[in-house]
Amino acid sequence: MKTRAITGFFFIVILIGAVLVGPFTFVPLFSLIAVCCVYEFYRMVYTEDTQPLLFMGVGAAAVGLALVGFSLVDILPYSVFQFGIVGILLLYITALFRKTVHPIQDVAYSIFGLMYAAIPFIFFMELGFVEDTYNAYIPLGFLILLWTNDTGAYLVGKSLGRRKLFERISPNKTWEGFIGGVFMAVVAGIVLSRYFGIFPLWGWVCIALIIGVFGTFGDLVESMLKRNIGVKDSGNILPGHGGLLDRFDGLLMAAPLVYLFLKNAF
């Protein structure tokens, strides 16, 4: 527990610091985290029968995120769509030269790893630039709401949890914890509307609801993945916490939806 607390404290300090310092720390750090998440995904699903194209997939994630990052900080224009098409075609061609048991399955896992673990971070980084110029308080607010939801769900679920949410996927999650997490996120959203501003009260409440609901679904989807392949944690890079995917599973589903909400509501 002590190791977990120390790791969590310093990890949060690094994340908050990178967001607040500016785009030239925010974008590289979360791009690196995204690439590490892709690597963790490939390592998790890698078996004798399933062998995703690890180096090509991680390389594609790194190049794609670099292009996005350079564009966000106005260093150069990019076209991720065209790059993505070329990258997928290269995965197909590379699989022809690999002597694996299920090459199409390998390609499918390679593409899914990019969709699941990398693309959501692009949406998260875009949150910092949703107003065209960088605003640290939007991604920071997102992280605060995500952490508040997780903490509220854990505390309420541990003390009051009775009814299982998805027992076959995650036996420890309860409806009481889910509702408690969403409620705490909404309260945090109300506080953020007062101190961060940027959006009106109803905007922050909607963001909190999206994060509370779909952040939980993101957590459950990762639990489903780990249960499906028979692993406990996505990695061990964070002592006491597991892997980076374990810490950002809620972001993977919530970030794209929050971005779409902000782009269409404001």
Side-chain angles (χ1 to χ4, degrees), residues 100-172:
T100 57
V101 181
H102 303 293
I104 296 300
Q105 180 173 295
D106 298 342
V107 172
Y109 269 105
S110 300
I111 296 172
F112 179 66
L114 296 173
M115 293 175 58
Y116 176 68
I119 291 177
F121 279 96
I122 294 176
F123 284 100
F124 175 70
M125 291 189 294
E126 289 276 4
L127 289 178
F129 302 85
V130 76
E131 296 184 317
D132 295 328
T133 58
Y134 181 67
N135 189 329
Y137 292 103
I138 300 176
L140 179 59
F142 179 99
L143 291 175
I144 290 173
L145 294 175
L146 187 67
W147 295 332
T148 302
N149 175 68
D150 288 345
T151 304
Y154 172 77
L155 294 176
V156 174
K158 188 173 182 180
S159 57
L160 302 176
R162 298 292 183 273
R163 301 169 183 82
K164 300 298 182 181
L165 184 59
F166 277 94
E167 188 170 9
R168 66 184 178 84
I169 300 297
S170 184
N172 295 325

Coordinates of all heavy atoms in Angstrom, one line a residue, residues 100-172:
T100 N 4.0 -17.0 -39.3 CA 3.2 -17.2 -38.0 C 2.0 -18.0 -38.3 O 1.6 -18.2 -39.5 CB 2.8 -15.8 -37.5 OG1 2.0 -15.1 -38.4 CG2 4.0 -15.0 -37.1
V101 N 1.4 -18.5 -37.2 CA 0.3 -19.5 -37.4 C -1.0 -18.8 -37.9 O -1.7 -19.3 -38.8 CB -0.1 -20.1 -36.0 CG1 -1.2 -21.1 -36.1 CG2 1.2 -20.8 -35.4
H102 N -1.3 -17.6 -37.5 CA -2.5 -16.9 -37.9 C -2.2 -15.5 -38.3 O -2.4 -14.5 -37.5 CB -3.5 -16.9 -36.7 CG -3.9 -18.2 -36.2 ND1 -4.6 -19.1 -37.0 CD2 -3.7 -18.8 -35.0 CE1 -4.8 -20.3 -36.3 NE2 -4.2 -20.1 -35.1
P103 N -1.7 -15.2 -39.5 CA -1.2 -13.9 -39.9 C -2.3 -12.9 -39.9 O -2.1 -11.7 -39.6 CB -0.7 -14.2 -41.3 CG -1.3 -15.4 -41.8 CD -1.5 -16.3 -40.6
I104 N -3.5 -13.2 -40.4 CA -4.6 -12.3 -40.4 C -5.0 -11.9 -39.0 O -5.3 -10.7 -38.7 CB -5.9 -12.8 -41.2 CG1 -5.5 -13.1 -42.6 CG2 -7.0 -11.9 -41.1 CD1 -5.1 -11.8 -43.4
Q105 N -5.0 -12.8 -38.1 CA -5.3 -12.5 -36.7 C -4.2 -11.6 -36.1 O -4.6 -10.7 -35.3 CB -5.3 -13.8 -35.9 CG -5.6 -13.7 -34.4 CD -5.8 -15.0 -33.7 OE1 -6.8 -15.7 -34.0 NE2 -4.9 -15.3 -32.8
D106 N -3.0 -11.8 -36.5 CA -1.9 -10.9 -36.0 C -2.1 -9.5 -36.5 O -1.9 -8.5 -35.8 CB -0.6 -11.5 -36.6 CG -0.2 -12.8 -36.0 OD1 -0.8 -13.3 -35.0 OD2 0.6 -13.5 -36.7
V107 N -2.5 -9.3 -37.8 CA -2.8 -8.0 -38.3 C -4.0 -7.4 -37.6 O -3.9 -6.2 -37.3 CB -3.0 -8.1 -39.9 CG1 -3.5 -6.7 -40.4 CG2 -1.8 -8.5 -40.6
A108 N -5.0 -8.2 -37.4 CA -6.2 -7.6 -36.7 C -5.9 -7.1 -35.3 O -6.3 -6.0 -34.9 CB -7.3 -8.7 -36.6
Y109 N -5.1 -7.9 -34.6 CA -4.7 -7.4 -33.2 C -3.8 -6.2 -33.3 O -3.8 -5.3 -32.5 CB -4.0 -8.5 -32.5 CG -4.9 -9.4 -31.6 CD1 -5.2 -10.7 -32.0 CD2 -5.4 -8.9 -30.4 CE1 -6.1 -11.5 -31.3 CE2 -6.2 -9.7 -29.7 CZ -6.6 -11.0 -30.1 OH -7.4 -11.7 -29.3
S110 N -2.9 -6.1 -34.4 CA -2.0 -5.0 -34.5 C -2.8 -3.7 -34.8 O -2.6 -2.7 -34.2 CB -1.1 -5.2 -35.7 OG -0.3 -6.4 -35.5
I111 N -3.9 -3.8 -35.6 CA -4.7 -2.6 -35.9 C -5.5 -2.2 -34.7 O -5.7 -1.1 -34.4 CB -5.6 -2.9 -37.2 CG1 -4.7 -3.1 -38.4 CG2 -6.6 -1.7 -37.4 CD1 -5.5 -3.5 -39.6
F112 N -6.1 -3.3 -34.1 CA -6.9 -3.0 -32.9 C -6.1 -2.3 -31.8 O -6.6 -1.4 -31.1 CB -7.6 -4.3 -32.4 CG -8.4 -4.1 -31.2 CD1 -9.6 -3.3 -31.2 CD2 -8.1 -4.6 -29.9 CE1 -10.4 -3.1 -30.1 CE2 -8.8 -4.4 -28.8 CZ -10.0 -3.7 -28.9
G113 N -4.9 -2.7 -31.6 CA -4.0 -2.1 -30.6 C -3.9 -0.6 -30.8 O -3.9 0.2 -29.9
L114 N -3.7 -0.2 -32.1 CA -3.6 1.2 -32.4 C -4.9 1.9 -32.1 O -5.0 3.0 -31.6 CB -3.2 1.4 -33.8 CG -1.8 0.9 -34.2 CD1 -1.6 0.9 -35.7 CD2 -0.7 1.6 -33.5
M115 N -6.0 1.3 -32.5 CA -7.4 1.9 -32.3 C -7.7 2.0 -30.8 O -8.2 3.1 -30.4 CB -8.4 1.1 -33.0 CG -8.3 1.1 -34.5 SD -9.6 0.0 -35.3 CE -11.1 0.7 -34.6
Y116 N -7.4 1.0 -30.1 CA -7.8 0.9 -28.7 C -6.9 1.8 -27.8 O -7.4 2.5 -26.9 CB -7.7 -0.5 -28.2 CG -8.0 -0.7 -26.7 CD1 -9.3 -0.4 -26.2 CD2 -7.0 -1.2 -25.9 CE1 -9.5 -0.6 -24.9 CE2 -7.2 -1.3 -24.5 CZ -8.5 -1.1 -24.0 OH -8.8 -1.2 -22.7
A117 N -5.6 1.7 -28.0 CA -4.6 2.3 -27.1 C -4.0 3.6 -27.5 O -3.4 4.3 -26.7 CB -3.5 1.3 -26.7
A118 N -4.0 4.0 -28.8 CA -3.3 5.2 -29.3 C -4.3 6.3 -29.6 O -4.1 7.4 -29.2 CB -2.4 4.8 -30.4
I119 N -5.3 6.0 -30.5 CA -6.2 7.0 -31.0 C -6.9 7.8 -29.9 O -7.0 9.0 -30.0 CB -7.2 6.4 -32.0 CG1 -6.5 6.0 -33.2 CG2 -8.3 7.4 -32.3 CD1 -7.3 5.3 -34.3
P120 N -7.4 7.1 -28.8 CA -8.0 7.9 -27.7 C -7.1 9.0 -27.1 O -7.6 10.1 -26.7 CB -8.4 6.9 -26.7 CG -8.5 5.6 -27.4 CD -7.5 5.7 -28.5
F121 N -5.8 8.8 -27.1 CA -4.9 9.8 -26.6 C -4.8 11.0 -27.5 O -4.5 12.1 -27.1 CB -3.5 9.2 -26.3 CG -3.4 8.4 -25.0 CD1 -3.6 7.1 -25.0 CD2 -3.1 9.1 -23.8 CE1 -3.5 6.4 -23.8 CE2 -3.1 8.4 -22.6 CZ -3.2 7.1 -22.6
I122 N -5.0 10.8 -28.8 CA -5.0 11.9 -29.7 C -6.2 12.8 -29.4 O -6.0 14.0 -29.3 CB -5.1 11.4 -31.2 CG1 -3.9 10.6 -31.6 CG2 -5.4 12.6 -32.1 CD1 -3.9 10.0 -33.0
F123 N -7.4 12.2 -29.1 CA -8.5 13.0 -28.7 C -8.2 13.7 -27.4 O -8.6 14.9 -27.2 CB -9.8 12.1 -28.6 CG -10.4 11.7 -29.9 CD1 -10.1 10.5 -30.4 CD2 -11.2 12.6 -30.6 CE1 -10.7 10.1 -31.6 CE2 -11.7 12.2 -31.8 CZ -11.5 11.0 -32.3
F124 N -7.6 13.1 -26.5 CA -7.3 13.7 -25.2 C -6.3 14.9 -25.4 O -6.6 16.0 -24.8 CB -6.6 12.7 -24.2 CG -6.2 13.3 -22.9 CD1 -7.1 13.8 -22.0 CD2 -4.8 13.5 -22.6 CE1 -6.7 14.4 -20.8 CE2 -4.4 14.1 -21.5 CZ -5.4 14.6 -20.5
M125 N -5.3 14.7 -26.2 CA -4.4 15.8 -26.4 C -5.1 17.0 -27.2 O -4.8 18.2 -26.9 CB -3.2 15.4 -27.2 CG -2.3 14.5 -26.4 SD -0.7 14.1 -27.2 CE -1.2 13.1 -28.6
E126 N -6.0 16.6 -28.0 CA -6.8 17.7 -28.7 C -7.6 18.5 -27.8 O -8.0 19.7 -28.1 CB -7.7 17.0 -29.8 CG -7.0 16.4 -31.0 CD -6.8 17.4 -32.1 OE1 -7.0 18.6 -31.8 OE2 -6.3 17.0 -33.1
L127 N -8.0 17.9 -26.6 CA -8.7 18.7 -25.6 C -8.0 20.0 -25.2 O -8.6 21.0 -24.9 CB -9.0 17.9 -24.4 CG -10.0 16.7 -24.5 CD1 -10.2 16.0 -23.2 CD2 -11.4 17.3 -24.9
G128 N -6.7 19.9 -25.2 CA -5.9 21.0 -24.8 C -5.9 22.2 -25.8 O -5.6 23.3 -25.5
F129 N -6.4 21.8 -27.0 CA -6.4 22.8 -28.1 C -7.8 23.0 -28.7 O -7.9 23.5 -29.8 CB -5.4 22.4 -29.2 CG -4.0 22.2 -28.8 CD1 -3.6 21.0 -28.2 CD2 -3.1 23.2 -28.9 CE1 -2.3 20.8 -27.7 CE2 -1.8 23.0 -28.4 CZ -1.4 21.8 -27.9
V130 N -8.8 22.6 -27.9 CA -10.1 22.6 -28.5 C -10.6 24.1 -28.7 O -11.5 24.3 -29.5 CB -11.1 21.9 -27.5 CG1 -11.4 22.8 -26.3 CG2 -12.4 21.5 -28.2
E131 N -9.9 25.0 -28.1 CA -10.2 26.5 -28.3 C -9.2 27.1 -29.3 O -9.0 28.3 -29.3 CB -10.2 27.2 -27.0 CG -11.3 26.8 -26.1 CD -11.3 27.7 -24.8 OE1 -10.2 27.9 -24.2 OE2 -12.4 28.0 -24.4
D132 N -8.5 26.2 -30.1 CA -7.4 26.6 -31.0 C -6.1 26.9 -30.4 O -5.1 26.5 -30.8 CB -7.9 27.8 -31.9 CG -9.1 27.4 -32.8 OD1 -9.2 26.3 -33.2 OD2 -9.9 28.3 -33.0
T133 N -6.1 27.7 -29.3 CA -4.8 27.9 -28.5 C -4.8 27.0 -27.3 O -5.9 26.6 -26.8 CB -4.7 29.4 -28.1 OG1 -5.8 29.7 -27.3 CG2 -4.6 30.3 -29.3
Y134 N -3.6 26.7 -26.8 CA -3.5 25.7 -25.7 C -4.1 26.3 -24.5 O -3.8 27.4 -24.0 CB -2.1 25.4 -25.5 CG -1.9 24.3 -24.4 CD1 -2.3 23.0 -24.5 CD2 -1.2 24.7 -23.2 CE1 -2.1 22.1 -23.5 CE2 -1.0 23.8 -22.2 CZ -1.5 22.5 -22.4 OH -1.3 21.6 -21.3
N135 N -5.0 25.5 -23.8 CA -5.6 25.8 -22.5 C -5.4 24.6 -21.6 O -6.1 23.6 -21.8 CB -7.0 26.1 -22.7 CG -7.6 26.7 -21.4 OD1 -7.2 26.3 -20.3 ND2 -8.6 27.6 -21.5
A136 N -4.5 24.7 -20.7 CA -4.1 23.6 -19.8 C -5.3 23.1 -18.9 O -5.3 21.9 -18.5 CB -2.9 23.9 -18.9
Y137 N -6.2 24.0 -18.6 CA -7.3 23.7 -17.7 C -8.3 22.7 -18.2 O -9.1 22.1 -17.4 CB -7.9 25.0 -17.1 CG -6.9 25.8 -16.3 CD1 -6.3 26.9 -16.8 CD2 -6.6 25.4 -15.0 CE1 -5.4 27.6 -16.1 CE2 -5.7 26.1 -14.3 CZ -5.1 27.2 -14.8 OH -4.2 27.9 -14.1
I138 N -8.4 22.6 -19.5 CA -9.4 21.6 -20.0 C -8.9 20.2 -19.9 O -9.6 19.4 -19.3 CB -9.7 21.9 -21.5 CG1 -10.3 23.3 -21.7 CG2 -10.6 20.9 -22.1 CD1 -10.5 23.8 -23.1
P139 N -7.6 19.8 -20.3 CA -7.2 18.4 -20.0 C -7.0 18.2 -18.5 O -7.2 17.1 -18.0 CB -5.9 18.3 -20.8 CG -5.4 19.7 -21.1 CD -6.7 20.5 -21.2
L140 N -6.5 19.2 -17.8 CA -6.4 19.1 -16.4 C -7.7 18.8 -15.7 O -7.8 17.9 -14.8 CB -5.8 20.3 -15.7 CG -5.6 20.3 -14.2 CD1 -4.6 19.2 -13.8 CD2 -5.0 21.6 -13.7
G141 N -8.7 19.5 -16.1 CA -10.1 19.3 -15.6 C -10.6 17.9 -15.9 O -11.2 17.2 -15.1
F142 N -10.3 17.4 -17.1 CA -10.6 16.0 -17.5 C -10.0 15.1 -16.5 O -10.6 14.1 -16.0 CB -10.2 15.8 -18.9 CG -10.5 14.4 -19.4 CD1 -11.6 14.1 -20.2 CD2 -9.6 13.3 -19.1 CE1 -11.9 12.9 -20.7 CE2 -9.9 12.0 -19.5 CZ -11.0 11.8 -20.3
L143 N -8.7 15.2 -16.3 CA -8.0 14.3 -15.4 C -8.5 14.3 -14.0 O -8.7 13.3 -13.3 CB -6.5 14.6 -15.4 CG -5.7 14.3 -16.7 CD1 -4.3 14.8 -16.6 CD2 -5.7 12.8 -17.0
I144 N -8.8 15.5 -13.5 CA -9.4 15.7 -12.1 C -10.7 14.9 -12.0 O -11.0 14.2 -11.1 CB -9.5 17.1 -11.8 CG1 -8.1 17.8 -11.6 CG2 -10.4 17.3 -10.5 CD1 -8.2 19.3 -11.4
L145 N -11.5 15.1 -13.0 CA -12.9 14.4 -13.0 C -12.7 12.9 -13.1 O -13.4 12.2 -12.5 CB -13.7 15.0 -14.2 CG -14.1 16.4 -14.1 CD1 -14.9 16.8 -15.3 CD2 -15.0 16.7 -12.8
L146 N -11.7 12.5 -13.9 CA -11.5 11.0 -14.1 C -11.0 10.4 -12.8 O -11.5 9.4 -12.3 CB -10.4 10.8 -15.2 CG -10.2 9.4 -15.6 CD1 -11.4 8.8 -16.3 CD2 -9.0 9.3 -16.5
W147 N -10.1 11.1 -12.1 CA -9.6 10.6 -10.8 C -10.6 10.7 -9.7 O -10.7 9.8 -8.9 CB -8.3 11.4 -10.4 CG -7.2 11.3 -11.3 CD1 -6.9 10.2 -12.1 CD2 -6.1 12.2 -11.6 NE1 -5.7 10.4 -12.8 CE2 -5.3 11.6 -12.6 CE3 -5.9 13.5 -11.1 CZ2 -4.1 12.3 -13.0 CZ3 -4.7 14.2 -11.6 CH2 -3.9 13.6 -12.6
T148 N -11.4 11.8 -9.7 CA -12.5 11.9 -8.8 C -13.5 10.8 -8.9 O -14.0 10.2 -7.9 CB -13.2 13.2 -8.9 OG1 -12.3 14.3 -8.7 CG2 -14.3 13.4 -7.8
N149 N -13.9 10.4 -10.2 CA -14.8 9.4 -10.4 C -14.2 8.0 -9.9 O -14.9 7.3 -9.2 CB -15.1 9.3 -11.9 CG -16.0 8.1 -12.2 OD1 -17.2 8.0 -11.9 ND2 -15.4 7.1 -12.9
D150 N -13.0 7.8 -10.2 CA -12.4 6.5 -9.8 C -12.3 6.4 -8.2 O -12.6 5.4 -7.7 CB -10.9 6.4 -10.3 CG -10.9 6.1 -11.8 OD1 -12.0 5.8 -12.4 OD2 -9.8 6.3 -12.4
T151 N -11.9 7.5 -7.6 CA -11.8 7.5 -6.1 C -13.2 7.4 -5.5 O -13.4 6.6 -4.5 CB -11.2 8.8 -5.7 OG1 -9.9 9.0 -6.3 CG2 -11.0 8.8 -4.1
G152 N -14.2 8.1 -6.0 CA -15.5 8.0 -5.5 C -16.1 6.7 -5.6 O -16.7 6.1 -4.7
A153 N -15.9 6.1 -6.8 CA -16.4 4.7 -7.0 C -15.8 3.7 -6.1 O -16.5 2.8 -5.5 CB -16.2 4.3 -8.5
Y154 N -14.5 3.8 -5.8 CA -13.8 2.9 -4.9 C -14.3 3.1 -3.5 O -14.6 2.1 -2.8 CB -12.3 3.2 -5.0 CG -11.5 2.4 -4.0 CD1 -11.2 1.0 -4.2 CD2 -11.0 3.0 -2.8 CE1 -10.5 0.3 -3.2 CE2 -10.3 2.3 -1.9 CZ -10.0 1.0 -2.1 OH -9.3 0.3 -1.1
L155 N -14.3 4.3 -3.0 CA -14.7 4.5 -1.6 C -16.2 4.1 -1.4 O -16.5 3.5 -0.4 CB -14.5 6.0 -1.3 CG -13.0 6.5 -1.2 CD1 -13.0 8.0 -1.0 CD2 -12.2 5.7 -0.2
V156 N -17.1 4.6 -2.2 CA -18.5 4.2 -2.0 C -18.7 2.7 -2.2 O -19.5 2.1 -1.5 CB -19.4 5.0 -3.0 CG1 -20.8 4.6 -2.9 CG2 -19.3 6.5 -2.7
G157 N -18.1 2.2 -3.2 CA -18.3 0.7 -3.5 C -17.7 -0.1 -2.4 O -18.3 -1.1 -2.0
K158 N -16.6 0.3 -1.8 CA -16.0 -0.5 -0.7 C -16.9 -0.4 0.6 O -17.0 -1.4 1.3 CB -14.6 0.1 -0.4 CG -13.8 -0.8 0.6 CD -12.4 -0.3 0.7 CE -11.6 -1.2 1.7 NZ -10.2 -0.8 1.8
S159 N -17.5 0.8 0.8 CA -18.3 0.9 2.1 C -19.7 0.6 1.9 O -20.3 0.1 2.9 CB -18.1 2.4 2.6 OG -18.6 3.3 1.6
L160 N -20.3 0.8 0.8 CA -21.8 0.6 0.6 C -22.1 -0.4 -0.5 O -23.3 -0.8 -0.6 CB -22.4 1.9 0.3 CG -22.3 3.1 1.3 CD1 -22.9 4.3 0.7 CD2 -22.9 2.7 2.6
G161 N -21.1 -0.9 -1.3 CA -21.4 -1.7 -2.4 C -22.1 -3.1 -2.1 O -21.6 -3.8 -1.2
R162 N -23.2 -3.3 -2.7 CA -23.9 -4.6 -2.5 C -24.2 -5.3 -3.8 O -24.0 -6.5 -4.0 CB -25.2 -4.4 -1.7 CG -25.0 -3.8 -0.3 CD -24.3 -4.8 0.6 NE -24.2 -4.3 2.0 CZ -23.2 -3.5 2.4 NH1 -22.2 -3.2 1.6 NH2 -23.2 -3.1 3.6
R163 N -24.8 -4.5 -4.8 CA -25.2 -5.0 -6.1 C -24.1 -5.0 -7.1 O -23.6 -3.9 -7.4 CB -26.5 -4.2 -6.5 CG -27.6 -4.3 -5.6 CD -28.7 -3.3 -5.9 NE -29.8 -3.3 -5.0 CZ -29.8 -2.6 -3.8 NH1 -28.7 -1.9 -3.5 NH2 -30.8 -2.6 -3.0
K164 N -23.8 -6.1 -7.7 CA -22.7 -6.2 -8.6 C -23.1 -5.5 -9.9 O -24.2 -5.6 -10.4 CB -22.3 -7.7 -8.9 CG -21.9 -8.4 -7.7 CD -20.6 -7.8 -7.0 CE -20.2 -8.6 -5.8 NZ -19.0 -8.0 -5.2
L165 N -22.1 -4.8 -10.5 CA -22.4 -4.1 -11.8 C -22.2 -5.0 -13.0 O -23.1 -5.2 -13.7 CB -21.4 -2.9 -11.9 CG -21.5 -2.0 -13.1 CD1 -22.9 -1.3 -13.1 CD2 -20.5 -0.9 -13.0
F166 N -21.0 -5.6 -13.1 CA -20.8 -6.6 -14.2 C -19.9 -7.7 -13.5 O -18.7 -7.7 -13.7 CB -20.0 -6.0 -15.4 CG -20.9 -5.3 -16.4 CD1 -21.1 -3.9 -16.3 CD2 -21.5 -6.0 -17.4 CE1 -21.9 -3.3 -17.2 CE2 -22.3 -5.4 -18.3 CZ -22.5 -4.0 -18.2
E167 N -20.5 -8.6 -12.8 CA -19.8 -9.5 -12.0 C -18.9 -10.4 -12.8 O -17.8 -10.8 -12.4 CB -20.7 -10.4 -11.1 CG -20.0 -11.3 -10.1 CD -21.0 -11.9 -9.1 OE1 -22.2 -11.8 -9.3 OE2 -20.5 -12.5 -8.1
R168 N -19.3 -10.8 -14.0 CA -18.5 -11.8 -14.8 C -17.3 -11.1 -15.4 O -16.4 -11.7 -15.7 CB -19.4 -12.3 -15.9 CG -19.8 -11.3 -16.9 CD -20.7 -11.9 -18.0 NE -21.2 -10.9 -19.0 CZ -20.5 -10.5 -20.0 NH1 -19.3 -11.1 -20.3 NH2 -21.0 -9.6 -20.8
I169 N -17.3 -9.7 -15.4 CA -16.2 -9.0 -15.9 C -15.3 -8.4 -14.8 O -14.1 -8.6 -14.9 CB -16.7 -7.8 -16.8 CG1 -17.5 -8.3 -18.0 CG2 -15.5 -7.0 -17.3 CD1 -16.8 -9.2 -18.9
S170 N -15.9 -7.8 -13.8 CA -15.2 -7.2 -12.7 C -16.0 -7.4 -11.4 O -16.8 -6.6 -11.1 CB -15.0 -5.7 -13.0 OG -14.2 -5.1 -12.0
P171 N -15.7 -8.5 -10.7 CA -16.4 -8.9 -9.5 C -16.5 -7.8 -8.4 O -17.4 -7.8 -7.6 CB -15.7 -10.1 -9.0 CG -15.0 -10.6 -10.2 CD -14.6 -9.4 -10.9
N172 N -15.5 -6.9 -8.4 CA -15.5 -5.9 -7.3 C -16.3 -4.6 -7.6 O -16.6 -3.9 -6.6 CB -14.1 -5.5 -7.0 CG -13.2 -6.7 -6.5 OD1 -13.7 -7.5 -5.7 ND2 -12.0 -6.7 -6.8

